[in-house]
Coordinates of all heavy atoms in Angstrom, one line a residue:
F17 N 10.8 18.3 -2.7 CA 10.1 17.2 -2.2 C 9.0 16.8 -3.1 O 8.7 15.6 -3.3 CB 9.5 17.6 -0.8 CG 10.4 17.3 0.4 CD1 11.5 18.2 0.6 CD2 10.4 16.3 1.2 CE1 12.2 18.1 1.7 CE2 11.2 16.1 2.2 CZ 12.3 17.0 2.5
A18 N 8.2 17.7 -3.6 CA 7.2 17.4 -4.6 C 7.8 16.7 -5.8 O 7.2 15.7 -6.3 CB 6.5 18.7 -5.1
R24 N 10.1 10.4 -8.5 CA 11.1 9.5 -7.9 C 10.5 8.3 -7.2 O 11.1 7.2 -7.4 CB 12.1 10.2 -7.0 CG 12.7 11.5 -7.6 CD 13.7 11.2 -8.8 NE 14.0 12.4 -9.5 CZ 14.7 12.4 -10.6 NH1 15.2 11.3 -11.0 NH2 15.0 13.5 -11.3
H28 N 5.7 4.1 -4.4 CA 5.6 3.7 -3.1 C 4.9 4.8 -2.2 O 4.4 4.6 -1.1 CB 7.0 3.5 -2.5 CG 7.8 2.4 -3.2 ND1 7.6 1.2 -2.9 CD2 8.7 2.5 -4.3 CE1 8.5 0.4 -3.7 NE2 9.1 1.2 -4.5
V32 N -0.9 13.5 -1.7 CA -2.3 13.6 -1.8 C -2.8 14.9 -1.4 O -3.9 15.3 -1.7 CB -3.0 12.5 -0.9 CG1 -2.7 11.2 -1.4 CG2 -2.6 12.7 0.5
A33 N -2.0 15.8 -0.8 CA -2.4 17.0 -0.4 C -1.3 18.1 0.0 O -0.1 17.6 0.3 CB -3.2 17.0 0.9
N38 N -1.5 30.1 3.1 CA -1.6 31.0 2.0 C -2.2 30.4 0.8 O -1.4 29.6 0.2 CB -0.3 31.7 1.8 CG -0.4 33.0 0.8 OD1 -1.0 32.9 -0.3 ND2 0.3 34.0 1.2
E43 N -1.7 27.8 -4.9 CA -2.0 27.9 -6.3 C -0.8 28.0 -7.2 O -0.6 27.3 -8.3 CB -2.9 29.0 -6.5 CG -3.4 29.3 -8.0 CD -4.3 30.4 -8.2 OE1 -4.8 31.0 -7.1 OE2 -4.5 30.9 -9.3
D77 N 11.0 27.2 10.7 CA 11.6 26.3 11.8 C 10.8 26.5 13.2 O 10.6 25.6 13.9 CB 13.1 26.7 12.0 CG 13.9 26.5 10.8 OD1 13.4 25.8 9.9 OD2 15.1 27.0 10.8
A89 N -1.3 14.0 16.8 CA -2.6 14.0 17.2 C -3.6 13.4 16.3 O -4.6 12.9 16.6 CB -3.0 15.4 17.7
D93 N 2.2 9.6 10.7 CA 3.7 9.5 10.8 C 4.2 10.9 10.5 O 3.7 11.5 9.5 CB 4.3 8.4 9.9 CG 3.9 7.1 10.2 OD1 3.6 6.8 11.4 OD2 3.8 6.2 9.3
K119 N 5.1 7.6 19.1 CA 5.7 7.8 17.8 C 7.0 8.5 17.9 O 7.3 9.1 18.9 CB 4.7 8.5 16.9 CG 3.4 7.7 16.5 CD 2.5 8.6 15.6 CE 1.4 7.8 15.0 NZ 1.8 6.9 13.9
S133 N 29.5 12.2 1.6 CA 29.2 12.0 3.0 C 29.4 10.5 3.4 O 29.9 10.1 4.3 CB 28.1 12.7 3.4 OG 28.1 14.0 3.2
K137 N 31.9 8.6 6.0 CA 31.4 7.7 7.1 C 31.9 6.3 6.9 O 32.4 5.8 8.0 CB 29.8 7.7 7.0 CG 29.1 6.8 8.1 CD 29.5 7.3 9.5 CE 28.7 6.4 10.5 NZ 29.0 6.9 11.9
I145 N 42.7 5.8 11.4 CA 43.8 6.6 12.1 C 43.6 6.5 13.6 O 44.1 7.5 14.3 CB 43.5 8.1 11.6 CG1 42.1 8.6 11.9 CG2 43.8 8.2 10.0 CD1 41.9 10.1 11.8
K174 N 14.4 34.9 16.1 CA 13.1 34.2 16.6 C 12.4 33.2 15.7 O 11.7 32.4 16.1 CB 12.1 35.3 17.0 CG 11.4 36.0 15.8 CD 10.4 37.1 16.3 CE 9.7 37.7 15.3 NZ 10.5 38.6 14.4
G176 N 14.1 31.1 13.5 CA 14.9 29.8 13.2 C 16.2 29.7 13.9 O 17.0 28.7 13.7
R221 N 13.2 46.8 1.2 CA 13.2 45.6 0.3 C 13.8 45.9 -1.0 O 13.9 47.1 -1.4 CB 11.8 45.1 0.2 CG 10.8 46.1 -0.4 CD 9.4 45.6 -0.4 NE 9.2 44.3 -1.1 CZ 8.1 43.7 -1.2 NH1 7.0 44.2 -0.7 NH2 8.1 42.5 -1.9
G307 N 31.5 25.2 0.1 CA 31.9 23.9 0.4 C 32.4 23.7 1.8 O 31.9 24.5 2.7
F312 N 40.4 15.4 10.4 CA 40.3 14.5 11.5 C 41.7 14.1 11.9 O 42.4 13.5 11.1 CB 39.5 13.3 11.1 CG 38.1 13.5 10.7 CD1 37.7 13.8 9.3 CD2 37.0 13.5 11.5 CE1 36.5 13.9 8.9 CE2 35.7 13.7 11.1 CZ 35.4 13.9 9.8
Y322 N 38.2 17.6 1.6 CA 38.1 18.9 0.9 C 37.0 18.8 -0.2 O 37.0 17.9 -1.1 CB 39.5 19.1 0.1 CG 39.6 20.6 -0.4 CD1 39.8 21.6 0.6 CD2 39.6 21.0 -1.7 CE1 40.1 22.9 0.2 CE2 39.7 22.2 -2.1 CZ 40.0 23.2 -1.1 OH 40.2 24.5 -1.6
R355 N 39.6 10.7 -4.9 CA 39.0 11.8 -5.6 C 37.6 11.5 -6.1 O 37.3 10.4 -6.4 CB 39.8 12.3 -6.8 CG 41.2 12.9 -6.3 CD 41.9 13.6 -7.4 NE 43.0 14.4 -6.9 CZ 43.0 15.6 -6.4 NH1 41.9 16.3 -6.5 NH2 44.1 16.1 -6.0
Q373 N 15.2 6.0 0.4 CA 15.3 5.3 1.6 C 14.0 5.7 2.5 O 13.5 4.7 3.1 CB 16.5 5.8 2.4 CG 16.7 5.1 3.8 CD 17.0 3.6 3.6 OE1 17.6 3.1 2.6 NE2 16.5 2.8 4.4
V386 N 19.4 7.1 8.2 CA 18.0 7.6 8.7 C 18.2 8.1 10.0 O 18.7 7.5 11.0 CB 17.1 6.5 8.7 CG1 15.7 7.0 9.1 CG2 16.9 5.9 7.2
R390 N 16.4 11.8 18.4 CA 17.6 12.2 19.2 C 18.7 12.8 18.3 O 19.3 13.7 18.8 CB 18.1 10.8 19.8 CG 19.3 11.2 20.8 CD 19.7 10.0 21.8 NE 20.7 10.4 22.7 CZ 20.5 11.0 23.9 NH1 19.2 11.3 24.2 NH2 21.4 11.4 24.7
S405 N 26.0 30.4 24.3 CA 27.4 30.7 24.6 C 27.8 32.2 24.2 O 28.5 32.8 24.9 CB 28.4 29.7 24.1 OG 29.7 30.0 24.4
E412 N 29.0 26.7 27.6 CA 27.7 26.3 27.9 C 27.5 24.8 27.7 O 28.0 24.2 26.8 CB 26.5 27.0 27.2 CG 26.6 28.5 27.5 CD 26.1 28.9 28.9 OE1 25.6 28.1 29.6 OE2 26.4 30.2 29.2

Side-chain angles (χ1 to χ4, degrees):
F17 277 77
R24 305 289 165 188
H28 302 276
V32 298
N38 191 312
E43 182 180 350
D77 301 347
D93 293 332
K119 289 177 171 286
S133 296
K137 178 63 175 178
I145 59 170
K174 68 179 186 296
R221 60 185 306 179
F312 299 89
Y322 195 73
R355 292 192 170 269
Q373 183 66 34
V386 177
R390 186 167 184 84
S405 175
E412 298 288 348

